[in-house]
Amino acid sequence: DIFAFCLKMKGLCVHIVRFIIVLLSKLPLKFHYFMGDVLSWLAKNVFRYRHALVMQNLSRSFPDLKYKEIVRICNDFYRHFGEIFAETIWFGGSSYRRLRKSGIVTVMNAAEVSELFDSTPSMTVLSTHCGNWEILGGLLGYRTADGTKLSVPETAISVVYKKMSSSISDRVFALNRVAPLEEVGTECEVESHNILRYSIKHKDERRMYIYPTDQAPYWGSGRHPIGMFMNQPTTAMMGSVGVACKLSHSVMYLKMKRVERGRYEMTFIPICRDASRTTPEDIMRRYYDLLEEEIRETPANWLWSHNRWKW
């Protein structure tokens, strides 16, 4: 049967790529940063990877900045782009112990997150493409600034994602993102089209749902105007906050600030304790206000190569 053979070959490819990543991940983070710098230089100077789009996004978002300042942010972004690649490969074979020892991420307000999680039906976390979103799977293993441990069980985390066009890449990245979550593995990932059904099915369980929220809306998913964001009219998807409002979730914004190479600070900023008492539009407007504030604080820390404002 050809179909069964193709599935077996895809599965084999996934295992081979995953084996290589895990093998490479054992090398020191400094080595990965060196390779990331090489990739960054190639992406910017040789392949010119989305360079015109990056400059366009920066110029429209910061119209008051001089050209030299735009170029500086662009250069810093490509360096950070290489770091994301380096950290993602290194993360692919990491355990909680390794993550904690490295100090790569510090959760700044773990006690506040635990209190809100324990006292509400479920929690919706609206994440971004600031910092390194590919290493969010280590959340429960990172150091905390207040010394407390997050009270969220591994089995209560659901990360919502959009399926990639390549089934092999989709599977490899899914396994990589949840590498430290040994108990639940890819079961903690929920495809975005299934989230409403999944949330209703698990409405009697206390869960943490993590959504990457700042992408351009998918075609056919509904494009809701939310006003101005980074000096440009912007539309957004309302599925995440719509579910939160229907099921009375608490909602938090996840800020991931890059302090220096190899160090991030992760802060959960409360948006509301009970989403049913507000509207999806108000929550999303607050989300984009917080995101703009974060971007202006550390401009190179966001994914400027994403075509966020496509129409």
Side-chain angles (χ1 to χ4, degrees):
D1 181 278
I2 296 177
F3 181 71
F5 176 75
C6 290
L7 285 177
K8 286 181 180 178
M9 289 305 296
K10 283 183 179 180
L12 180 62
C13 288
V14 168
H15 285 301
I16 291 173
V17 174
R18 181 75 188 128
F19 174 77
I20 293 171
I21 289 175
V22 171
L23 205 61
L24 289 173
S25 73
K26 304 306 178 185
L27 295 169
L29 188 53
K30 286 184 179 180
F31 168 82
H32 291 290
Y33 279 136
F34 170 76
M35 297 305 297
D37 287 340
V38 173
L39 174 68
S40 170
W41 184 85
L42 290 172
K44 179 179 177 294
N45 298 295
V46 179
F47 300 110
R48 305 292 284 179
Y49 174 72
R50 298 195 175 185
H51 187 267
L53 177 62
V54 172
M55 289 296 290
Q56 173 184 287
N57 284 339
L58 286 169
S59 299
R60 290 178 176 175
S61 298
F62 300 102
D64 297 331
L65 292 185
K66 296 179 180 178
Y67 178 73
K68 285 184 178 180
E69 294 173 304
I70 295 294
V71 171
R72 179 184 58 78
I73 296 173
C74 177
N75 292 338
D76 289 344
F77 160 71
Y78 276 102
R79 276 194 290 272
H80 177 54
F81 184 78
E83 289 172 353
I84 291 172
F85 174 81
E87 291 159 358
T88 299
I89 299 298
W90 174 84
F91 179 82
S94 294
S95 62
Y96 284 161
R97 183 175 179 275
R98 189 189 194 199
L99 295 175
R100 194 173 292 110
K101 184 179 179 182
S102 73
I104 191 169
V105 176
T106 301
V107 180
M108 304 306 292
N109 59 333
E112 184 178 15
V113 178
S114 295
E115 187 280 324
L116 198 58
F117 177 79
D118 291 336
S119 61
T120 58
S122 278
M123 177 183 289
T124 289
V125 176
L126 304 179
S127 67
T128 75
H129 285 85
C130 291
N132 189 346
W133 55 96
E134 293 290 345
I135 62 175
L136 289 181
L139 174 61
L140 301 181
Y142 293 133
R143 295 178 183 176
T144 61
D146 56 16
T148 65
K149 184 179 179 182
L150 283 170
S151 63
V152 185
E154 282 187 340
T155 52
I157 295 178
S158 296
V159 181
V160 184
Y161 76 105
K162 181 180 181 294
K163 213 169 200 177
M164 295 182 175
S165 55
S166 166
S167 58
I168 294 175
S169 297
D170 182 73
R171 184 66 178 168
V172 168
F173 276 94
L175 289 168
N176 203 79
R177 290 187 198 105
V178 298
L181 293 169
E182 297 176 0
E183 184 179 343
V184 288
T186 53
E187 290 180 14
C188 73
E189 293 220 325
V190 184
E191 214 279 322
S192 56
H193 289 125
N194 298 324
I195 188 58
L196 178 58
R197 184 184 305 168
Y198 182 90
S199 300
I200 292 174
K201 179 181 177 182
H202 296 275
K203 64 183 177 64
D204 295 326
E205 302 173 19
R206 183 174 287 119
R207 305 192 64 79
M208 173 187 280
Y209 295 92
I210 303 177
Y211 295 82
T213 311
D214 54 351
Q215 307 109 309
Y218 312 138
W219 293 110
S221 66
R223 304 165 71 83
H224 301 270
I226 51 94
M228 299 296 285
F229 163 62
M230 296 307 297
N231 201 49
Q232 299 169 76
T234 301
T235 59
M237 296 176 290
M238 292 291 181
S240 56
V241 291
V243 171
C245 289
K246 286 180 186 296
L247 301 178
S248 302
H249 291 187
S250 55
V251 181
M252 296 191 107
Y253 171 89
L254 177 54
K255 177 179 180 180
M256 194 169 185
K257 180 182 178 181
R258 180 187 179 278
V259 180
E260 61 185 11
R261 171 168 282 189
R263 275 194 61 216
Y264 294 97
E265 289 180 351
M266 191 182 289
T267 306
F268 292 77
I269 301 174
I271 293 179
C272 63
R273 181 173 283 271
D274 182 353
S276 68
R277 295 179 177 272
T278 184
T279 66
E281 290 77 15
D282 287 344
I283 295 174
M284 194 59 74
R285 182 63 260 172
R286 176 61 176 151
Y287 168 84
Y288 275 100
D289 287 343
L290 288 167
L291 176 57
E292 179 160 342
E293 183 182 305
E294 180 175 3
I295 291 171
R296 292 189 181 279
E297 183 182 343
T298 51
N301 196 41
W302 195 48
L303 186 63
W304 292 103
S305 57
H306 175 52
N307 192 4
R308 177 61 187 80
W309 291 279
K310 58 189 174 185
W311 298 94

